[in-house]
């Protein structure tokens, strides 16, 4: 499969367009995380997802959103709700199982009707429809009302804005962002648009900051190339305490 895969940098619509044009055999699918979480938190630039939608339409390819990480986090309706772009297929992971092993994919009727028993494409999984995971997922999605989702997003914004303020006061280059309950940051003076730019951030400073935060009881993702997440269990008091401890951690990291 790797030999059949072409890779373009995230947020580089020109590169994706060139790859499609150069491949004379055609493109079967354009697969993308609508918000990157596996290189740190990297949001799409305005027009990028819309451009991929147009590229898929013009090249005859399917647009597939990998929402294993973003599903029900960036918005109750996922990327379609937040960005107004509709994929042909969407993949989801254990978020639909309340954290238990589960996965799903779905999309346009004419595509899904190609899957057995309606069509000739066979798919099966050991954990498909697992009763425990489905019960946990149903309970999670029932609890995650639009009102609760909005409350979590506001606390996520407060945490990110607080971290940005701390960095400014300590004169530390830092960029941060969030979408729904998903957030992240890089020690760099300008936002990272893709993985290559993320790797140019101050990884050594992140390492010192991570361990200083961990010593203070704040467990961040252990890599600058992983996104972070807020949950309903994090209230205003937890956000305030976290920011207080992160200030001390950053002071130690730059000392």
């Amino acid at each position: 499969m790797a030999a059949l895969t072409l890779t373009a940098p995230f947020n580089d619509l020109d590169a994706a367009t060139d790859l499609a044009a150069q491949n004379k055999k055609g493109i079967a699918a354009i697969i993308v995380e609508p918000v990157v979480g596996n290189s740190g938190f990297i949001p799409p630039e305005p027009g990028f997802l819309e451009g991929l939608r147009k590229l898929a339409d013009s090249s005859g390819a399917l647009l597939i959103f990998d929402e294993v990480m973003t599903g029900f986090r960036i918005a109750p309706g996922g990327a379609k709700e937040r960005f107004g772009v509709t994929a042909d297929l969407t993949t989801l992971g254990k978020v639909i199982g309340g954290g238990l092993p589960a996965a799903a994919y779905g999309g346009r009727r004419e595509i899904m009707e190609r899957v057995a028993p309606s069509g000739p494409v066979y798919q099966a999984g050991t954990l498909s429809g697992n009763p425990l995971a489905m019960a946990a997922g149903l309970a999670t999605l029932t609890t995650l009302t639009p009102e609760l989702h909005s409350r979590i997003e506001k606390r996520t914004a407060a945490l990110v804005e607080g971290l940005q303020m701390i960095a400014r006061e300590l004169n530390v280059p830092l960029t941060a962002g969030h979408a729904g309950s998903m957030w992240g940051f890089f020690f760099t003076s300008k936002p990272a648009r893709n993985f290559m730019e993320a790797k140019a951030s101050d990884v050594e400073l992140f390492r010192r900051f991570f361990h200083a935060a961990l010593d203070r009881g704040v467990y961040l993702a252990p890599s600058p190339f992983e996104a972070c997440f807020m949950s309903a269990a994090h209230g205003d008091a937890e956000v305030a305490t976290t920011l207080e401890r992160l200030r001390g951690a950053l002071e130690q990291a730059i000392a």
Side-chain angles (χ1 to χ4, degrees):
M1 293 303 295
L4 299 174
T5 302
L6 307 173
T7 303
F10 190 73
N11 276 325
D12 192 337
L13 185 58
D14 288 340
T17 302
D18 288 344
L19 282 176
Q22 293 166 12
N23 189 44
K24 303 305 180 182
K25 294 183 179 180
I27 302 295
I30 299 172
I31 307 175
V32 65
E33 285 185 291
V35 176
V36 171
N38 285 299
S39 300
F41 176 86
I42 304 177
E45 294 189 328
F48 177 64
L49 296 180
E50 293 86 345
L52 291 182
R53 175 70 273 174
K54 292 179 181 178
L55 178 59
D57 292 338
S58 64
S59 63
L62 297 180
L63 178 61
I64 302 176
F65 280 169
D66 173 358
E67 294 216 55
V68 168
M69 196 171 291
T70 61
F72 304 110
R73 286 193 174 105
I74 62 175
K80 178 181 178 180
E81 178 179 337
R82 189 164 195 100
F83 302 112
V85 178
T86 303
D88 298 302
L89 286 172
T90 295
T91 63
L92 295 163
K94 59 183 177 291
V95 65
I96 64 166
L100 294 176
Y105 61 93
R108 299 202 322 262
R109 179 181 297 275
E110 60 266 33
I111 298 174
M112 297 302 292
E113 286 180 344
R114 300 291 295 169
V115 181
S118 298
V121 179
Y122 183 73
Q123 184 273 328
T126 302
L127 295 171
S128 294
N130 179 273
L132 177 60
M134 295 301 97
L138 181 60
T140 299
L141 298 181
T142 300
T143 303
L144 190 61
T145 62
E147 293 76 18
L148 178 58
H149 201 285
S150 177
R151 188 158 68 246
I152 297 172
E153 180 161 18
K154 289 178 181 177
R155 286 172 177 154
T156 307
L159 179 63
V160 170
E161 291 165 5
L163 181 59
Q164 289 173 313
M165 183 183 69
I166 291 169
R168 285 195 299 270
E169 292 175 352
L170 297 177
N171 198 30
V172 175
L174 178 142
T175 61
H178 68 90
S181 61
M182 187 176 177
W183 66 280
F185 63 94
F186 294 103
F187 287 114
T188 179
S189 58
K190 61 179 183 178
R193 300 171 59 251
N194 53 53
F195 181 50
M196 292 300 294
E197 294 181 4
K199 290 197 296 182
S201 64
D202 194 334
V203 176
E204 177 56 29
L205 176 55
F206 177 90
R207 186 190 66 79
R208 298 196 302 271
F209 178 62
F210 166 80
H211 286 288
L214 187 61
D215 290 342
R216 289 164 172 77
V218 179
Y219 188 15
L220 299 169
S223 165
F225 309 124
E226 294 183 30
C228 304
F229 308 102
M230 186 76 75
S231 80
H234 299 118
D236 294 335
E238 284 78 16
V239 170
T241 299
T242 298
L243 288 172
E244 178 183 348
R245 295 181 182 184
L246 290 181
R247 176 184 291 275
L250 190 53
E251 289 174 341
Q252 177 181 330
I254 63 176

